[in-house]
Amino acid sequence: RLETGEVAIEVELTSASEVVRRALDDADVLMRTSGPQSAVDRVHTAMHGYLHSLCDEAGISHGDRPTMNQLFKALRAQHPTLADLGPRPEEVTRVLGAIASILDALNPVRNNASVAHPNEQLIGESEALLVINTVRTMLSYLENKRRQVDILPPAL
């Protein structure tokens, strides 16, 4: 898959905005035509937009121009499906905290090592794939958790 430019983590988002879907589609095209370094900016945009749409969908308030970390923090604290982290909540909370650190690292990678800006040095191909697949993993996890809202039993 690395040689062909295929993304290892497939994501199917049912609630994403058109901007998020377009950014993911653009990332797929860029992966095939220009390589993963060109797709980093698009997956960053998709992740930011998806977090924004999840907050809006769940009625979670946020500022006018929230960062990805601000949105993720709000989701972790207030989204109904993220209240139940299964039988090992402490460990899953630690994993989500690590993901928050990754999200925080995406901004400087996008701004200083991708084609989003005229940077002299780009992130390596393997590292770009790491970023892309990490974002896609997180999108997949959040989408799966979001879908649980639709199957939750009615409150008594």
Side-chain angles (χ1 to χ4, degrees), residues 121-148:
Q121 290 187 322
L122 297 178
I123 188 172
E125 186 172 312
S126 296
E127 291 74 21
L129 286 169
L130 173 66
V131 166
I132 290 163
N133 283 321
T134 300
V135 167
R136 287 180 172 270
T137 296
M138 194 58 198
L139 288 169
S140 179
Y141 171 76
L142 290 171
E143 181 67 8
N144 286 333
K145 292 298 278 185
R146 187 207 63 77
R147 288 179 186 163
Q148 289 179 3

Side-chain angles (χ1 to χ4, degrees), residues 60 71-80 82-83:
I60 298 170
L71 293 166
F72 188 55
K73 183 177 181 179
L75 282 168
R76 287 178 64 196
Q78 300 176 48
H79 200 279
L82 292 176

Side-chain angles (χ1 to χ4, degrees), residues 80-112:
T81 62
L82 292 176
D84 178 9
L85 298 178
R88 303 297 303 187
E90 297 84 13
E91 290 85 356
V92 174
T93 296
R94 288 179 47 211
V95 170
L96 291 173
I99 293 290
S101 294
I102 292 168
L103 292 179
D104 193 42
L106 288 180
N107 284 327
V109 167
R110 176 197 175 269
N111 291 335
N112 302 318

